[in-house]
């Protein structure tokens, strides 16, 4: 059973959820192929940590089979972030885990995308950066560090089809640009612009992305405004930014409250997307999952609500021909980052991804497939 956006609107939220509760998954065409037919990449983040890692393990062969079958592109979930790659100090790079993902992608004919060259958030840099001394010419030294970092990562992985060059620099509380040890040394706009400029030189064929988690739900108004101002600034300064990455951690609020899905601000979200694309930017759904905190405990009703909510969101995103990639943030429930964040009131495991812990496809997987089937070709 395939549900279109028109079907969902006609059924209403409760009716759509009921319809998904009875869905049969007759079409087993890999999602990568359904997406490719419409000119879109589909893939997922994956980790290369030890067995039992929350981001997935390369020791879990059943999980790897899902990734190989469904995904046309893979994203290292944490393996290219500063706190992993540069953990040992300013003179060291550790590419071991990222190399493992790159080799798996190569073996399975998958593309690779990069996350992230600069997570411009003070919480996510290595410990040594807290006391790092840039010396008598801090702006020059900081620019040198940023340049060398981006050149090193882009040079090692020239196959990347896109890069999250800058990640989460907008503070959702007021829409301002965050401060870090790098921006303290050389200026906020300066470090962001330099990152994109160096990335364009080092990865001339890759789509360069600003990535953030502003969303459609109530409470994101200042965050969306700040992102628009940032994109406007990039455009005015001629900064080589190609696309906005919309993380798309949709559904329940990422907080300790126990309410269900937030209320989408449909008109405001559409206006936001129109403003972004109107400036000439492409769109990517970069970290897609559906937070089910506050939803019923029973799997059937819970999965059905998740699928219906996701289908409406993806239908809208794919209605924009500027949307070029849809990336899940994990493919199996037990490997979702949401399992150890903002626990459900009933303490049950969450079900935010396309496959359950027994590696069986869920209604969310069918919702993604249906969205691709209904989408216009790029």
């Amino acid at each position: 059973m395939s549900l279109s956006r028109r079907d969902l609107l006609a059924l209403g939220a409760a009716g759509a959820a009921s319809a998904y509760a009875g869905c049969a998954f007759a079409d087993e065409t890999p999602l990568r192929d359904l997406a490719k037919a419409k000119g879109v990449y589909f893939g997922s983040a994956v980790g290369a940590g030890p067995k039992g890692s929350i981001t997935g393990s390369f020791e879990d062969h059943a999980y790897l089979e899902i990734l190989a079958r469904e995904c046309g592109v893979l994203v290292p979930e944490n393996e290219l972030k500063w706190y992993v790659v540069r953990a040992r100090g300013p003179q060291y790079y550790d590419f071991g885990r990222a190399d493992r993902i790159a080799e798996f992608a190569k073996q399975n004919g998958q593309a690779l995308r990069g996350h992230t060259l600069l997570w411009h958030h003070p919480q996510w840099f290595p410990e040594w950066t807290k006391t790092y001394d840039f010396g008598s010419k801090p702006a020059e030294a900081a620019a040198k560090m940023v340049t060398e970092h981006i050149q090193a990562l882009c040079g090692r992985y020239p196959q990347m089809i896109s890069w999250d060059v800058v990640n989460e620099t907008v503070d959702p509380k007021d829409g301002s640009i965050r401060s870090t040890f790098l921006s303290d040394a050389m200026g906020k706009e300066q470090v962001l612009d330099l990152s994109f400029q160096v990335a364009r030189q080092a990865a001339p064929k890759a789509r360069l992305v600003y990535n953030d988690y502003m969303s459609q739900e109530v409470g994101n108004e200042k965050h969306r405004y700040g992102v628009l101002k940032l994109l406007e600034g990039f455009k005015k300064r001629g900064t080589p930014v190609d696309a906005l990455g919309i993380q798309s951690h949709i559904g329940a609020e990422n907080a300790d409250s126990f309410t269900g899905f937030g209320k989408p601000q449909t008109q405001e979200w559409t206006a936001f997307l129109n403003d972004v694309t109107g400036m000439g930017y492409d769109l990517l759904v970069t970290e897609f999952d559906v937070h089910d905190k506050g939803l019923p405990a029973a799997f059937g009703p819970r999965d059905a609500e998740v699928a219906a909510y996701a289908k409406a969101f993806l239908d809208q995103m794919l209605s924009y021909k500027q949307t070029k990639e849809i990336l899940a943030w994990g493919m199996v429930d037990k490997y979702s980052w949401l399992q150890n964040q903002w626990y459900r009131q009933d303490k049950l495991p969450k079900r935010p991804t396309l496959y359950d812990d027994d590696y069986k496809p869920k209604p969310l997987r069918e919702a993604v497939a249906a969205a691709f089937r209904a989408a216009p070709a790029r």
Side-chain angles (χ1 to χ4, degrees):
M1 180 178 183
S2 175
L3 296 173
S4 68
R5 185 171 180 82
R6 181 179 297 176
D7 294 331
L8 290 170
L9 292 173
L11 287 166
S18 297
Y20 269 113
C23 260
F25 309 122
D27 185 354
E28 296 182 357
T29 304
L31 293 174
R32 63 191 290 174
D33 295 340
L34 293 175
K36 185 178 180 180
K38 299 303 175 73
V40 179
Y41 276 100
F42 174 79
S44 176
V46 61
K51 189 173 183 178
S53 172
I54 192 65
T55 60
S57 170
F58 272 53
E59 310 305 318
D60 187 338
H61 298 292
Y63 186 46
L64 296 185
E65 288 177 6
I66 291 174
L67 294 173
R69 180 177 69 252
E70 296 277 37
C71 298
V73 57
L74 294 182
V75 187
E77 186 161 343
N78 296 312
E79 282 70 12
L80 290 175
K81 293 172 180 173
W82 278 64
Y83 69 80
V84 175
V85 174
R86 308 293 296 277
R88 291 193 295 160
Q91 305 305 318
Y92 300 95
Y93 291 87
D94 184 357
F95 293 115
R97 286 165 58 180
D99 283 354
R100 199 172 182 191
I101 296 172
E103 180 59 27
F104 179 84
K106 181 180 179 181
Q107 291 174 356
N108 290 280
Q110 295 163 305
L112 205 64
R113 80 175 304 266
H115 175 79
T116 170
L117 294 173
L118 179 63
W119 193 351
H120 198 248
H121 188 307
Q123 183 178 351
W124 301 111
F125 283 98
E127 189 68 23
W128 59 264
T129 64
K130 295 179 180 179
T131 57
Y132 189 76
D133 184 0
F134 282 115
S136 60
K137 297 180 179 180
E140 291 182 19
K144 183 173 184 290
M145 179 180 288
V146 170
T147 298
E148 291 178 348
H149 179 88
I150 293 174
Q151 289 175 338
L153 270 65
C154 292
R156 191 172 187 89
Y157 305 105
Q159 69 269 49
M160 295 292 186
I161 62 168
S162 61
W163 271 105
D164 290 333
V165 178
V166 176
N167 189 54
E168 298 179 4
T169 196
V170 174
D171 190 328
K173 294 193 298 292
D174 59 9
S176 63
I177 298 175
R178 300 184 197 270
S179 297
T180 68
F181 83 113
L182 295 169
S183 64
D184 288 345
M186 61 180 296
K188 294 179 180 179
E189 292 181 351
Q190 288 82 355
V191 70
L192 303 181
D193 289 351
L194 177 65
S195 296
F196 280 101
Q197 290 160 0
V198 175
R200 177 63 83 215
Q201 295 171 355
K205 296 181 180 180
R207 184 179 295 111
L208 304 185
V209 181
Y210 174 69
N211 192 54
D212 213 329
Y213 57 91
M214 66 285 126
S215 71
Q216 62 181 345
E217 287 87 9
V218 172
N220 284 268
E221 296 85 354
K222 291 180 180 178
H223 201 175
R224 293 192 296 260
Y225 173 79
V227 169
L228 285 178
K229 296 299 290 184
L230 180 72
L231 295 177
E232 289 173 356
F234 285 147
K235 190 64 66 174
K236 289 177 181 177
R237 298 191 300 274
T239 309
V241 183
D242 299 320
L244 173 66
I246 297 171
Q247 290 186 11
S248 306
H249 298 297
I250 63 173
E253 183 182 3
N254 289 342
D256 292 327
S257 58
F258 295 105
T259 57
F261 290 154
K263 183 179 180 181
Q265 295 179 308
T266 304
Q267 292 183 344
E268 293 86 345
W269 182 245
T270 299
F272 173 78
L273 296 175
N274 289 343
D275 285 342
V276 173
T277 55
M279 284 188 270
Y281 293 107
D282 283 341
L283 301 171
L284 286 76
V285 172
T286 54
E287 304 182 19
F288 172 74
D289 52 28
V290 187
H291 199 176
D292 63 351
K293 183 173 58 63
L295 270 61
F299 288 174
R302 197 191 331 173
D303 290 350
E305 287 192 45
V306 164
Y309 194 84
K311 176 63 163 55
F313 174 79
L314 291 175
D315 277 344
Q316 181 173 24
M317 295 306 304
L318 287 166
S319 73
Y320 288 85
K321 292 189 176 182
Q322 294 92 338
T323 300
K324 303 298 176 63
E325 301 178 37
I326 304 288
L327 295 313
W329 209 240
M331 291 289 286
V332 173
D333 288 335
K334 63 184 174 183
Y335 294 137
S336 170
W337 71 293
L338 288 168
Q339 297 296 3
N340 60 2
Q341 302 275 349
W342 310 294
Y343 298 104
R344 286 176 55 91
Q345 190 171 19
D346 55 20
K347 307 302 181 185
L348 291 173
K350 297 176 184 176
R351 294 173 65 82
T353 74
L354 283 66
Y355 281 76
D356 67 19
D357 289 349
D358 294 321
Y359 311 99
K360 298 288 177 32
K362 294 159 47 189
L364 181 56
R365 195 269 180 197
E366 168 60 18
V368 175
F372 283 135
R373 288 193 293 265
R378 310 296 96 167

